[in-house]
Amino acid sequence: MRPHLFVPLLALGLAACASAPPPAVSADLRGTGDLGVVIERAAGRVQVVEHSHDSRLGTVEGLGDLSHAHVAFSRDGRYAYVFGRDGGLTKVDLLTRRIDRRIVQAGNSIGGSVSQDGRLVVAQNYEPGGIKAFDADTLELLADVPAEYAPGKFSRVVGLADVSGQRFVYALFDADEIRITDFTNPRQPVTTRFPAGRQPYDGLVTPDGRYFIAGLFGEDGLSLLDLWQPQAGARKILAGYGKGEEKLPVFKMPHLRGWAMAGGQAWLPAIGRHEVLVADARSWAESARIPVKGQPVFVMARPDGRQVWVNFAFPDNEWVQVIDTLEKRVVHTFSPGKAVLHMEFTPRGEAVWLSSRDSNRISVVDTASFALRRELPADAPSGIFFTARGQRIGF
């Protein structure tokens, strides 16, 4: 080819490339950042939902006993790991809406979490008591860490949370302990034990991953472990918050995993009391008590921290209250349905999804106006989990 013809032909080729139509894209191709699952506990299935348009995408069947189910997510948000009461661990592909893998790893399980690097899935078990680590891709068992606290005695494990350094922290209800297990070498985990107080019933990690707090069922107060300085041991905080007062019967244990950090304060459900406790997040000293309608179960902060939403145990479980964290008072009370079991905020907090088990529906509520945005039918729904959890510590 003569040199003077090369440039025009090259330009023609580039123009043809620039004007070529883009390749066809399947209507089903989508990202995972706005996806989530809703547990349909009685049916043993999950709904796959999306919160950009508040819609249901489909269902996945065959997940076993979901009467007490928890969900964690893969690092990329594509897979949901569903932990069932029957010990089932199911890896669900949210894009294809199919079961990728499923195992039954225990007799009675109440949850689990995913490691910092996303390579491990760890389950916490009642029976047999302990935790187990699995390969996140294949669900191959890598380690079994029994919660043995005396010869032949194994504790129920609660409050499991992932923290930095491939570690998991959890509480032993029957052993009055907090433990940290390091899975840097997944097949040779190392566990450290700390006395925690009587009957730790649930646990949580602060959003920065520094503190683990276990609620104590056997005594007033909570047990706090500084994960930056675990060698100092656990210490008691908010001790005696109900001392000298008559306790109410406890109809449902509160869930500390749904606690709130807002405005430099920790907002916590009080056991057997119609109060939300407020503590300074530096000193952990009590700073306020907010009277509420019933015994709080979940006390959850909107992502910006300006509101705290509270649901309740029976007989007040049709109600939800909203606390203004600046004014420290209830500013809104409403009933989205019968037996409100769970709440989940969209990642930036413009809306909250609420499950009403006995009304068989999900309500999507605007958090600024409290207006109902949408209702979605669901079969006895309970937990609601969005993939944004996969990017947070302690979930």
Side-chain angles (χ1 to χ4, degrees), residues 342-359:
H342 200 226
M343 303 176 286
E344 182 83 336
F345 289 95
T346 53
R348 298 194 182 190
E350 77 284 353
V352 62
W353 289 44
L354 305 105
S355 62
S356 298
R357 181 195 62 199
D358 296 349
S359 295

Side-chain angles (χ1 to χ4, degrees), residues 243-309:
K243 188 175 181 180
E245 301 178 31
E246 182 181 0
K247 288 186 177 180
L248 298 171
V250 178
F251 294 108
K252 182 175 176 61
M253 291 298 293
H255 285 269
L256 288 187
R257 188 58 58 89
W259 77 319
M261 279 289 290
Q265 308 272 347
W267 302 69
L268 302 160
I271 300 176
R273 300 180 59 81
H274 293 183
E275 292 177 338
V276 170
L277 303 179
V278 187
D280 182 87
R282 290 188 177 182
S283 66
W284 299 103
E286 181 182 326
S287 59
R289 301 185 188 193
I290 312 298
V292 290
K293 191 172 184 65
Q295 295 181 17
V297 176
F298 283 100
V299 177
M300 302 182 70
R302 196 172 70 178
D304 67 351
R306 183 57 195 274
Q307 295 175 347
V308 165
W309 289 55

Side-chain angles (χ1 to χ4, degrees), residues 77-147:
R78 177 169 181 173
Y79 298 100
Y81 299 96
V82 182
F83 303 85
R85 173 66 90 174
D86 56 0
L89 169 55
T90 309
K91 183 181 178 184
V92 175
D93 188 326
L94 299 181
L95 294 183
T96 64
R97 298 191 284 281
R98 296 176 181 174
I99 292 176
D100 182 82
R101 285 175 173 78
R102 175 173 166 80
I103 60 173
V104 176
Q105 56 86 31
N108 189 339
S109 179
I110 63 163
S113 192
V114 175
S115 63
Q116 184 180 33
D117 66 1
R119 296 180 180 179
L120 302 177
V121 178
V122 175
Q124 63 176 8
N125 296 323
Y126 270 10
E127 178 62 40
I131 64 174
K132 293 181 179 179
F134 303 88
D135 182 281
D137 290 331
T138 65
L139 299 190
E140 174 194 0
L141 177 64
L142 301 178
D144 184 350
V145 184

Side-chain angles (χ1 to χ4, degrees), residues 221-243:
L222 302 98
S223 186
L224 180 142
L225 180 66
D226 185 343
L227 299 173
W228 291 6
Q229 305 174 90
Q231 67 278 6
R235 64 185 176 94
K236 194 170 180 179
I237 61 173
L238 298 174
Y241 62 77
K243 188 175 181 180

